[in-house]
Amino acid sequence: MRTIRRLAPTLCLVLALTACADADAPEPSGAAAPGTPAAADAASSAAGSAPAGDSTPVSAKEVCAYLDGQLPTLRGIGSETGTMANLTVNLYSWYEKQGAVPTGRQIDDQTRQECPATRTEVLELAGMESFERL
C-alpha cells in the first residue's frame, strides 16, 4: 500500500505528460487510421524526430552518463512499473533541459553503440525491451 501511495503521483504525471504529448502531436498523413499501430508510430516519429529549436542533439556519451547516474535510483525503486514511470518522467525532463527530445529509436541506437550494458540493465529494471516504449 505504501508503494502505491508513492507511485501514484509519478504515474499521474506520466499519464498527464502522455496526454499532453498526444494532444500536441500532429495528425499523421497517409492511410493509417488513428489508433492503429502504424498511426502511433508515425505520430511518435513526427513528434520526436527533430530537435527543439536550434539545439543540437544530445551525444551518446551524455545519454549514457545520465543513465549511469540514474541506475542507483532505478535499482532502489523495486518495481518495473515504478522504474518505468521514473525513467519516463526523468529522462524526458532531462532531454527537455538539453533542448532536444529524441525518439525512443534514437535513444536505442545511441545506447546500443555507446553503453550496451547500461542500456540492458535500465531496460530490464523497467521491464522493457526498448526505449521505444517510453
Side-chain angles (χ1 to χ4, degrees):
M1 189 64 153
R2 182 178 273 167
T3 302
I4 293 172
R5 287 184 186 156
R6 289 182 186 166
L7 290 178
T10 303
L11 292 174
C12 289
L13 182 58
V14 169
L15 292 174
L17 287 173
T18 302
C20 291
D22 289 344
D24 293 337
E27 287 295 318
S29 59
T36 63
D41 288 346
S44 67
S45 293
S49 60
D54 291 331
S55 62
T56 58
V58 178
S59 75
K61 280 189 181 217
E62 291 173 302
V63 175
C64 290
Y66 174 78
L67 291 174
D68 281 332
Q70 290 298 300
L71 276 173
T73 301
L74 298 176
R75 287 180 191 129
I77 292 173
S79 77
E80 289 179 349
T81 304
T83 302
M84 185 178 184
N86 181 287
L87 181 64
T88 300
V89 172
N90 290 339
L91 190 59
Y92 183 81
S93 297
W94 180 77
Y95 270 118
E96 273 197 322
K97 289 177 187 171
Q98 308 306 312
V101 180
T103 65
R105 181 170 291 157
Q106 291 168 325
I107 299 170
D108 281 330
D109 291 344
Q110 285 185 315
T111 56
R112 271 189 196 106
Q113 292 174 2
E114 185 68 30
C115 55
T118 299
R119 176 187 183 275
T120 299
E121 185 174 359
V122 167
L123 292 175
E124 283 178 1
L125 288 168
M128 302 183 316
E129 294 177 13
S130 161
F131 284 102
E132 290 186 69
R133 287 222 28 217
L134 293 181

